[in-house]
Amino acid sequence: TPTSMWLTVKDATTKNIQIDPISSLYSIDFSFYGKGPKGTIPLNSIITSLYYNNMLYSLLRINEQGKGSILLPKGYFVYSIDKEGYNLIVNKQIYVDATASAFNDTLTQKTYSVQFNVKTSTGAYDGVSVLLNGYTPLLTNEQGIAIFNEIGYEKNLAYTIEKSGFIGANGYI
């Protein structure tokens, strides 16, 4: 089975490719996970660069379940992973031989603080419930502030603001 590679050409370029006899290749399975405040999940839609003898050997596409397989020769490889919202893994070394069949790795999700400032027409209001999807709800303090800490990077994270006797608000951050 040939190894697939993707190449983007934007200018004149030279591409060095190393090929090996099929008899010296080993089937290796990779699994990548993301760990954050909401737990650990398989990371999908990743393309991992694998380097062999300081040259790009192949690009490995990770599927929706966070898994990918590739045929590799015996030797030392390094890989890097760049996934939006997660801390990078750069130049991680692995050794491939007849005893190695699988590698797992976990990226740590980037986290942030999110502050809500809740007011009425007359000023700040305390005791307002602020719900952030997947996190413990908070109540605003006397300055009308609710601060969520260690919120994992996420697009379109839903929030709801509620207080009995007031029109609520909701949206996405």
Side-chain angles (χ1 to χ4, degrees):
T1 304
T3 301
S4 299
M5 296 186 69
W6 298 271
L7 177 64
T8 302
V9 178
K10 296 179 181 177
D11 225 335
T13 186
T14 300
K15 185 76 175 164
N16 297 319
I17 306 292
Q18 178 173 330
I19 61 172
D20 295 289
I22 196 76
S23 63
S24 65
L25 297 178
Y26 302 98
S27 180
I28 306 296
D29 297 322
F30 284 86
S31 298
F32 295 111
Y33 301 93
K35 184 176 182 179
K38 290 184 177 180
T40 302
I41 60 169
L43 290 179
N44 57 36
S45 304
I46 299 173
I47 297 177
T48 303
S49 302
L50 291 158
Y51 291 86
Y52 181 62
N53 292 332
N54 296 318
M55 291 190 324
L56 179 64
Y57 184 82
S58 186
L59 298 175
L60 174 63
R61 186 177 299 271
I62 303 303
N63 68 20
E64 295 299 314
Q65 290 79 39
K67 299 184 181 298
S69 296
I70 192 168
L71 295 172
L72 296 174
K74 180 179 179 178
Y76 288 95
F77 287 81
V78 294
Y79 66 85
S80 298
I81 305 171
D82 184 3
K83 175 76 172 165
E84 183 178 16
Y86 291 85
N87 295 309
L88 304 174
I89 291 179
V90 179
N91 295 331
K92 182 155 186 184
Q93 188 176 65
I94 59 171
Y95 183 71
V96 172
D97 64 9
T99 63
S101 62
F103 294 98
N104 300 316
D105 215 336
T106 302
L107 282 77
T108 306
Q109 191 176 32
K110 293 178 181 178
T111 59
Y112 304 92
S113 294
V114 177
Q115 180 172 321
F116 289 87
N117 300 315
V118 181
K119 298 179 185 179
T120 67
S121 59
T122 59
Y125 207 85
D126 69 335
V128 177
S129 178
V130 181
L131 296 93
L132 196 55
N133 188 30
Y135 296 91
T136 303
L138 297 176
L139 296 176
T140 57
N141 63 19
E142 57 278 353
Q143 288 86 32
I145 297 173
I147 300 174
F148 290 85
N149 293 305
E150 299 296 315
I151 302 302
Y153 175 91
E154 190 172 337
K155 292 182 178 179
N156 297 316
L157 180 59
Y159 69 85
T160 302
I161 311 295
E162 298 175 328
K163 176 73 174 171
S164 181
F166 291 87
I167 298 172
N170 57 47
Y172 299 91
I173 55 172

